[in-house]
Amino acid sequence: MMIKSRKPWQISENEVTPEQLYLNRRAFIGGSAGAALLGVTGLSLPAGAATERVLNPLAFSKTAYDPKEALTPYEAVTAYNNYYEFGTGKSDPAENAWRLQPKPWSVKVDGHVGRPGIYDFEDLIDMKALEERIYRLRCVEAWSMVIPWIGVPLSLLIKKFEPTADAKYVAFETLADKKQMPEVKGWFNVLDWPYREGLRMDEAMNELAFIAVGLYGKELPNQNGAPLRLVVPWKYGFKSIKSIVRISFVEDQPKTSWKKSAPSEYGFYSNVNPNVDHPRWSQKQERRIGEFGRRETLMFNGYEDAVAHLYQGMDLRKNY
Ligand SMILES: Nc1nc2c(c(=O)[nH]1)N[C@H]1C(S)=C(S)[C@@H](COP(=O)(O)O)O[C@H]1N2
Ligand SMILES: [Mo]
């Protein structure tokens, strides 16, 4: 039983309904049997099924970023999501994110940069220079996926803006629009919108930090953060902020949504670390979506060689 007074983020991993239930339910509701079910239950049709936008195929080059592990099926990658602006349930984003309008899109760039401004999506992303990177995604809730992302290195974008020496951190914000996002309300919010994330400058410039505009060969589905989202594979999933509308270059460590909401549970760094448990559950193992049993969680999600140097001399227990 869920205790009423608990916040959605306090649901522990072993209470999370297996993704298979969501997938089955979605398939069921989408079919003709679903229409009959909806008739008797009075539920509204999950409009996503009917109005999902066409996702254009993307041209991209293959890269060596490929953990040689089975890819998580497209159906799971796009139906089992965290995107709280569209609801706190894992199937809510797939059902509700059809409301998001990712075109046209622009991103405000401000702070300590030589080239601040409002950039159109088309000016930010060179669609002729896209690459595919297969990355593990490890959610702090102890499930994981392997996803073939398509996009550009974050460092490429950052260089375009010409940050100055005062830019010590990069801060990101997601769109927060009541008209498009049912969980963004005036009266009660599960998080303090807009969703905010950030990286230290050297983390942001690391070769692994990536801006995704697609997955599985096509444009990003809305529920995965269309039209552009961050992917930071050595950190817990919540660092990988979706549907970015603002990038700020700042001197001080930026305020981030989950840290602000529960500072004893979610830190700024949030590096995947099997040796530092979440206060309410272990981080030693993970459940790979679509697999039975559990896997051992790897230090920095398996990307130790590329990123361990960023944290030399830091106490990762304190800087969780
Ligand atoms: N704006 C925004 N970005 C977000 C989230 C969110 O709720 N809102 N959830 C995060 C979490 S907790 C995870 S695990 C990943 C999930 O990405 P995916 O749904 O594409 O797999 O998105 C992250 N980015
Ligand atoms: Mo997550």
Side-chain angles (χ1 to χ4, degrees):
M1 272 291 287
M2 239 191 91
I3 300 160
K4 268 255 162 68
S5 62
R6 277 193 306 176
K7 304 243 169 64
W9 42 261
Q10 289 175 310
I11 303 164
S12 74
E13 189 266 333
N14 58 5
E15 292 169 74
V16 172
T17 313
E19 70 284 0
Q20 212 49 48
L21 284 183
Y22 289 110
L23 299 181
N24 291 344
R25 185 172 137 239
R26 190 167 150 77
F28 180 61
I29 291 177
S32 56
L37 175 77
L38 292 168
V40 292
T41 59
L43 286 169
S44 62
L45 194 77
T51 58
E52 236 153 66
R53 73 195 163 90
V54 176
L55 300 169
N56 294 315
L58 300 171
F60 58 90
S61 56
K62 294 260 179 197
T63 64
Y65 299 95
D66 181 352
K68 304 280 184 238
E69 291 164 14
L71 298 181
T72 303
Y74 182 82
E75 290 67 32
V77 171
T78 58
Y80 189 81
N81 301 99
N82 272 337
Y83 197 162
Y84 273 31
E85 289 86 335
F86 293 101
T88 55
K90 298 285 179 268
S91 61
D92 290 342
E95 286 182 15
N96 296 326
W98 58 272
R99 292 182 171 86
L100 178 72
Q101 283 162 23
K103 286 178 192 180
W105 194 266
S106 59
V107 177
K108 181 181 180 181
V109 176
D110 57 10
H112 298 291
V113 279
R115 304 177 68 88
I118 313 264
Y119 289 79
D120 287 339
F121 178 88
E122 290 72 21
D123 300 325
L124 277 180
I125 306 292
D126 179 357
M127 298 299 276
K128 291 193 193 70
L130 299 181
E131 49 183 89
E132 180 186 68
R133 295 187 175 195
I134 300 171
Y135 279 160
R136 301 183 194 92
L137 177 118
R138 170 60 158 78
C139 181
V140 71
E141 297 164 284
W143 50 265
S144 64
M145 298 193 186
V146 179
I147 302 175
W149 300 107
I150 294 169
V152 296
L154 174 61
S155 64
L156 222 76
L157 235 65
I158 290 180
K159 283 179 199 150
K160 208 193 272 270
F161 308 139
E162 297 173 9
T164 70
D166 290 332
K168 308 289 187 218
Y169 295 87
V170 194
F172 301 89
E173 282 180 21
T174 296
L175 177 74
D177 182 359
K178 284 182 202 173
K179 293 197 282 295
Q180 299 178 60
M181 300 166 143
E183 208 51 63
V184 176
K185 306 171 205 157
W187 48 280
F188 171 79
N189 291 306
V190 289
L191 284 173
D192 180 20
W193 314 118
Y195 193 99
R196 292 186 184 87
E197 259 309 330
L199 296 170
R200 216 171 55 195
M201 199 53 147
D202 59 345
E203 297 180 309
M205 295 303 286
N206 184 273
E207 56 163 308
L208 291 178
F210 198 60
I211 292 287
V213 299
L215 57 82
Y216 266 108
K218 293 189 286 187
E219 291 173 317
L220 276 182
N222 291 351
Q223 60 268 35
N224 295 94
L228 79 168
R229 59 91 57 86
L230 185 64
V231 184
V232 200
W234 73 96
K235 293 176 179 283
Y236 292 118
F238 68 85
K239 297 294 291 183
S240 293
I241 183 173
K242 296 178 171 180
S243 309
I244 296 166
V245 292
R246 186 176 175 193
I247 306 177
S248 306
F249 293 80
V250 296
E251 264 184 79
D252 300 320
Q253 192 182 94
K255 297 258 181 297
T256 55
S257 293
W258 281 104
K259 183 172 184 221
K260 191 172 174 205
S261 163
S264 62
E265 305 191 20
Y266 309 103
F268 176 79
Y269 285 96
S270 293
N271 293 313
V272 174
N273 189 339
N275 309 315
V276 177
D277 287 339
H278 184 278
R280 290 182 289 116
W281 59 82
S282 165
Q283 293 292 15
K284 285 192 174 50
Q285 294 185 321
E286 64 197 63
R287 192 170 58 86
R288 181 66 54 81
I289 300 295
E291 285 182 2
F292 296 101
R294 283 168 186 271
R295 287 172 173 255
E296 299 300 311
T297 288
L298 305 172
M299 187 66 198
F300 296 116
N301 205 23
Y303 300 101
E304 203 167 1
D305 290 351
V307 301
H309 68 273
L310 297 169
Y311 310 104
Q312 230 141 51
M314 276 176 71
D315 182 346
L316 296 180
R317 268 176 200 286
K318 280 198 191 121
N319 296 287
Y320 55 92

